[in-house]
Amino acid sequence: MRPLPSGRRKTRGISLGLFALCLAAACCLQSQGVSLYIPQATINATVKEDILLSVEYSCHGVPTIEWTYSSNWGTQKIVEWKPGTQANISQSHKDRVCTFDNGSIQLFSVGVRDSGYYVITVTERLGSSQFGTIVLHVSEILYEDLHFVAVILAFLAAVAAVLISLMWVCNKCAYKFQRKRRHKLKESTTEEIELEDVEC
């Protein structure tokens, strides 16, 4: 077998190089086919509040969007859908989730058990995907603290009322005592005057 002429070897090497370059570019484009933006990675909320888990994605074609929830109580899928189609919402979150075409979801009337990690995965038709995480912390409104403050205020008001009543009683007693004393002084002075008149 005769070796190829050097000119044909060069063109074959260039075409193989171009093929490898195109393959690498395709791989790069596929891995960068989905981009995901999460404006708020941590959300603090109180019980019974409605929460928006906001995201924004961009990709070629119509992707599949999936939200999962992970916490101390376990991991479960919340919802999966393609923009423009009906969402497949899990039984645990039925009537509590609203989906948006940009990938965001809204949770209605959250509770303490909703605290945890919410992971969104955006998967393109070709197979490339991107995921992001939002941390949600739900806290209770502590009515016990308000109750404690109310009890303390009621106690202080009762003590103030008792003190005011005691001051009023003391004032009345002091007034009566002064009247008696004046009356006794008057009697003693009139007796002295009468005695002086008798002696005279």
Side-chain angles (χ1 to χ4, degrees):
M1 190 177 219
R2 284 189 325 202
L4 289 169
S6 62
R8 284 186 69 190
R9 246 188 266 163
K10 280 184 183 173
T11 47
R12 190 169 181 187
I14 290 171
S15 60
L16 278 174
L18 283 173
F19 177 72
L21 188 65
C22 288
L23 190 63
C27 286
C28 287
L29 283 173
Q30 185 175 350
S31 65
Q32 293 177 356
V34 179
S35 64
L36 185 63
Y37 172 65
I38 298 175
Q40 194 174 358
T42 304
I43 298 173
N44 292 314
T46 52
V47 172
K48 299 291 182 187
E49 201 174 335
D50 297 339
I51 301 302
L52 178 67
L53 302 177
S54 179
V55 298
E56 194 74 46
Y57 73 88
S58 66
C59 69
H60 307 291
V62 180
T64 301
I65 300 165
E66 179 182 288
W67 280 92
T68 55
Y69 162 71
S70 179
S71 73
N72 296 336
W73 291 287
T75 302
Q76 64 185 64
K77 184 193 280 190
I78 299 172
V79 62
E80 183 180 358
W81 82 99
K82 287 186 178 183
T85 63
Q86 189 173 357
N88 182 18
I89 302 171
S90 67
Q91 281 298 118
S92 61
H93 286 79
K94 268 285 193 246
D95 304 323
R96 290 192 55 222
V97 173
C98 178
T99 60
F100 300 93
D101 283 344
N102 69 350
S104 303
I105 60 171
Q106 187 167 21
L107 296 174
F108 300 111
S109 188
V110 293
V112 175
R113 287 182 68 95
D114 290 314
S115 295
Y117 298 91
Y118 289 80
V119 180
I120 177 175
T121 307
V122 181
T123 307
E124 207 177 20
R125 188 167 47 90
L126 296 172
S128 65
S129 65
Q130 193 75 259
F131 73 92
T133 305
I134 295 177
V135 180
L136 176 64
H137 177 70
V138 182
S139 56
E140 285 186 286
I141 300 168
L142 298 176
Y143 291 107
E144 293 83 13
D145 290 349
L146 295 175
H147 180 69
F148 177 73
V149 170
V151 167
I152 291 292
L153 287 175
F155 175 73
L156 290 174
V159 169
V162 168
L163 288 174
I164 289 169
S165 301
L166 283 173
M167 285 175 67
W168 182 79
V169 168
C170 289
N171 190 30
K172 284 286 181 187
C173 289
Y175 179 71
K176 282 185 178 179
F177 179 73
Q178 283 179 350
R179 276 185 67 187
K180 277 187 179 179
R181 196 165 176 198
R182 277 194 206 129
H183 187 67
K184 279 186 180 179
L185 280 171
K186 266 188 182 179
E187 283 181 356
S188 64
T189 51
T190 50
E191 282 177 8
E192 282 177 11
I193 291 168
E194 284 175 1
L195 281 172
E196 284 176 5
D197 286 343
V198 168
E199 285 176 1
C200 292

